[in-house]
Amino acid sequence: MEIRDVIHGTIDVSRPEKMIIDSPFFQRLRNIKQLGFGENSFPGATHNRYIHSLGAMHLADMAFQNAFTVDRGASFATRYPEAFERLKSTLRVAALLHDVGHGPLSHTTEFAMPQLPELGLELPFGKEKRQANHEDYTLKIILQSSLTPVLRKAMGYLGVEPLHIACLINKSIPAPDDFFMVGAVDYRPILCQLISSEIDVDRMDYLTRDSFYAGVSYGKFDLQWLITNLTHHESGGKCYLALNHKALYTLDDFLISRFHMFLMVYFHHKCVVFDEILGRYLRSPDCDYVIPADVEKYVFYDDYHLYTHLSKSPNEWANRIYHKRPYKMLVEFHSGIPQGEPFRLEQEQLLQELLADLKEQGKDYILKTTTGEFSKYFRREDHAPLYVKYDNRLQPARYIPLQECSDLFERYSENRSITRVYVPE
């Protein structure tokens, strides 16, 4: 089967993948907007998680093929063709399902999700005392739902179990067997990196897609050049993702594009205030909107379900969302400004005076600070290393850790935050 996509053109879908796509859990993603409340700021941004997930699957295939082309991986692709096909197919399905657990309006309704133990997720961390998130629902749907036997039927011919797919979405899940071992090399690290890392197919698709539909240029980068220059590096019995050095500046552009998309699109003042108003509604004493722990009921919870509920609620916050009447932004302050510490202190004093004045007048307000971080990746001790490959005709190839090849992580080490005050009309 072929699917026509405005971003990538033709996306090929195999018969087993079509079985998964036709399932109610995946079809539900048609009714989950990719950018949540983003369409209130960017009217064209009405695209959904369904096409984003298909795009991620398409890019996962391209990335895998390029990382193991003949001149880079003949020993793997040629000597182990069955393993090559098995791992590629598992990666495609993991990319396809990486967002299947998203709630209505994407991240926005995680306020209303139950505590994790209520999901009954049969994994080592399934009883942690915290609120469940969309990734927990994703794992539950893959491992313990009516989609699970569909996955077994669709992928069984390759020996792929639902747990193998889950292992690529959450790298903390213990691998049940030697499924990811080929010869003496463990290929799970590179597959996990293609799903979630500084150079993953999820980001490649959503930056390209979101910038297109939002009508902005912040998220644009040379996607083809970046994917074409992906390769791999084996170290210590494990295979990791690497990038040819000639695409290093493209990667820099990719990283900056994501940073700017957060500051200019995902953190747009109207998106932020709608998120906050929904949060106020979900925390209201009279709010009766609860996302179920039962994933068979969860399949009916999409954007339309939420808006239908809001339309019937007498709650002020619910009415403001449904009728598009958010609080208005009164003022905003940006951190990281070049004027330095004196100017920052002046802005902080001005903000405190403003809040005191609003309180004195008995005016309601929303105070919200959003923070954009260039990269969380290298702050985590458990990250799998990314490498840059340097080679020429006179020397053997060298693989150098990414953070040693780019100064962007140092230059953008300071988080950027935007503090805004919103008031009624």
Side-chain angles (χ1 to χ4, degrees), residues 203-247:
R203 296 180 184 187
M204 290 182 194
D205 184 83
Y206 77 62
L207 287 177
T208 304
R209 193 174 301 279
D210 293 353
S211 62
F212 176 84
Y213 282 100
V216 301
S217 60
Y218 308 112
K220 295 180 181 178
F221 61 96
D222 195 338
L223 172 62
Q224 294 298 323
W225 186 247
L226 187 62
I227 284 191
T228 300
N229 280 281
L230 291 178
T231 183
H232 68 274
H233 175 51
E234 295 176 10
S235 176
K238 296 183 177 183
C239 186
Y240 300 105
L241 190 60
L243 182 74
N244 285 315
H245 73 277
K246 59 186 177 181

Side-chain angles (χ1 to χ4, degrees), residues 348-359:
E348 178 64 26
Q349 181 180 354
L350 180 60
L351 174 62
Q352 295 306 319
E353 291 174 355
L354 172 62
L355 297 181
D357 189 42
L358 289 171
K359 290 177 182 177

Side-chain angles (χ1 to χ4, degrees), residues 165-421:
I165 298 167
C167 280
L168 298 188
I169 294 173
N170 187 313
K171 62 183 179 182
S172 71
I173 299 174
D177 48 34
D178 60 354
F179 179 86
F180 299 106
M181 297 294 297
V182 181
V185 179
D186 181 4
Y187 284 84
R188 183 180 176 184
I190 188 172
L191 300 180
C192 287
Q193 287 176 308
L194 288 172
I195 297 296
S196 179
S197 71
E198 287 297 296
I199 324 178
D200 64 48
V201 295
D202 176 31
R203 296 180 184 187
M204 290 182 194
D205 184 83
Y206 77 62
L207 287 177
T208 304
R209 193 174 301 279
D210 293 353
S211 62
F212 176 84
Y213 282 100
V216 301
S217 60
Y218 308 112
K220 295 180 181 178
F221 61 96
D222 195 338
L223 172 62
Q224 294 298 323
W225 186 247
L226 187 62
I227 284 191
T228 300
N229 280 281
L230 291 178
T231 183
H232 68 274
H233 175 51
E234 295 176 10
S235 176
K238 296 183 177 183
C239 186
Y240 300 105
L241 190 60
L243 182 74
N244 285 315
H245 73 277
K246 59 186 177 181
L248 185 57
Y249 295 124
T250 302
L251 175 60
D252 286 352
D253 190 34
F254 172 66
L255 297 173
I256 294 173
S257 293
R258 177 176 177 271
F259 186 52
H260 288 169
M261 279 290 282
F262 268 91
L263 294 177
M264 302 303 294
V265 176
Y266 307 138
F267 292 164
H268 188 278
H269 67 87
K270 196 174 288 187
C271 301
V272 170
V273 74
F274 270 112
D275 282 347
E276 287 300 300
I277 290 175
L278 180 58
R280 284 198 174 192
Y281 169 62
L282 295 174
R283 290 188 289 268
S284 297
D286 61 337
C287 173
D288 57 354
Y289 186 82
V290 179
I291 290 181
D294 183 348
V295 291
E296 302 304 328
K297 295 179 180 177
Y298 183 70
V299 73
F300 299 106
Y301 279 63
D302 55 24
D303 291 4
Y304 298 109
H305 181 278
L306 175 60
Y307 275 114
T308 299
H309 172 88
L310 294 173
S311 71
K312 299 176 181 179
S313 173
N315 182 279
E316 176 196 354
W317 304 114
N319 275 274
R320 282 187 174 275
I321 295 169
Y322 188 77
H323 295 290
K324 311 300 182 189
R325 294 189 296 105
Y327 275 26
K328 304 299 182 181
M329 186 179 70
L330 179 63
V331 67
E332 70 177 8
F333 303 101
H334 292 249
S335 73
I337 48 180
Q339 287 88 346
E341 185 68 9
F343 188 79
R344 187 192 68 80
L345 293 174
E346 179 184 330
Q347 298 295 291
E348 178 64 26
Q349 181 180 354
L350 180 60
L351 174 62
Q352 295 306 319
E353 291 174 355
L354 172 62
L355 297 181
D357 189 42
L358 289 171
K359 290 177 182 177
E360 183 179 340
Q361 295 183 43
K363 303 290 186 183
D364 188 32
Y365 65 87
I366 292 175
L367 173 66
K368 179 64 177 178
T369 298
T370 48
T371 302
E373 187 172 13
F374 183 73
S375 174
K376 298 179 182 179
Y377 182 70
F378 295 108
R379 297 186 183 186
R380 295 181 56 179
E381 295 180 358
D382 63 342
H383 79 270
L386 289 162
Y387 293 93
V388 177
K389 178 184 178 182
Y390 286 87
D391 61 348
N392 55 54
R393 297 181 183 275
L394 303 177
Q395 293 177 312
R398 292 179 299 157
Y399 292 86
I400 301 174
L402 172 60
Q403 62 269 34
E404 297 178 18
C405 302
S406 173
D407 64 348
L408 283 182
F409 299 98
E410 182 177 351
R411 286 166 51 196
Y412 286 85
S413 60
E414 181 183 355
N415 294 345
R416 299 296 177 93
S417 63
I418 306 173
T419 298
R420 300 181 173 111
V421 179

